[in-house]
Amino acid sequence: MTGPIGADSWMDVAAYAVVGIPALVASLGALRVAKKASAKQEAIGQDVSVVREHVANTHESNLRADVDKLLVGMVEVNRAVGRIGDEVRDERAANASDRREMWAHIRRQDRIADKHHPDEP
């Protein structure tokens, strides 16, 4: 064995190259993937910071609690709108009944007028 790596001939050096070069290429590939992953994690971290600023800033209440209160309020608004719709429907029905009654009175008055005043238009 001669030299620091223990290679006795060029064939030994070639054997070390055959074993070492793929390992070197794999290591460089892994390093490249790790750098890309690190850059992506940094970008995601910045995005999370922006989201955190909007969600958990100086408010005294939690965002989820605020959303739950809004949902309860929306249910109450939907109920109120439903009641208003029911009232409008009832008013329309009452108005339709009043209109029918009014037109019945007008026809009756026209018949009376035609009976007692046949020559007048």
Side-chain angles (χ1 to χ4, degrees), residues 42-102:
E42 185 176 324
I44 290 171
Q46 291 172 351
D47 291 343
V48 169
S49 296
V50 170
V51 171
R52 182 172 288 137
E53 174 63 28
H54 288 286
V55 174
N57 53 13
T58 59
H59 294 117
E60 293 180 11
S61 61
N62 190 346
L63 178 65
R64 180 63 194 195
D66 293 342
V67 170
D68 289 342
K69 287 177 188 176
L70 285 174
L71 290 175
V72 169
M74 291 301 297
V75 168
E76 291 176 13
V77 167
N78 284 338
R79 287 182 187 150
V81 168
R83 284 192 305 268
I84 291 170
D86 292 342
E87 291 173 6
V88 167
R89 204 171 304 111
D90 294 343
E91 286 295 321
R92 284 184 182 166
N95 288 344
S97 175
D98 290 345
R99 278 194 304 274
R100 285 191 298 274
E101 188 176 317
M102 178 187 70

Side-chain angles (χ1 to χ4, degrees), residues 1-17:
M1 220 191 234
T2 61
I5 58 172
D8 293 336
S9 67
W10 285 103
M11 291 301 283
D12 288 340
V13 173
Y16 283 130

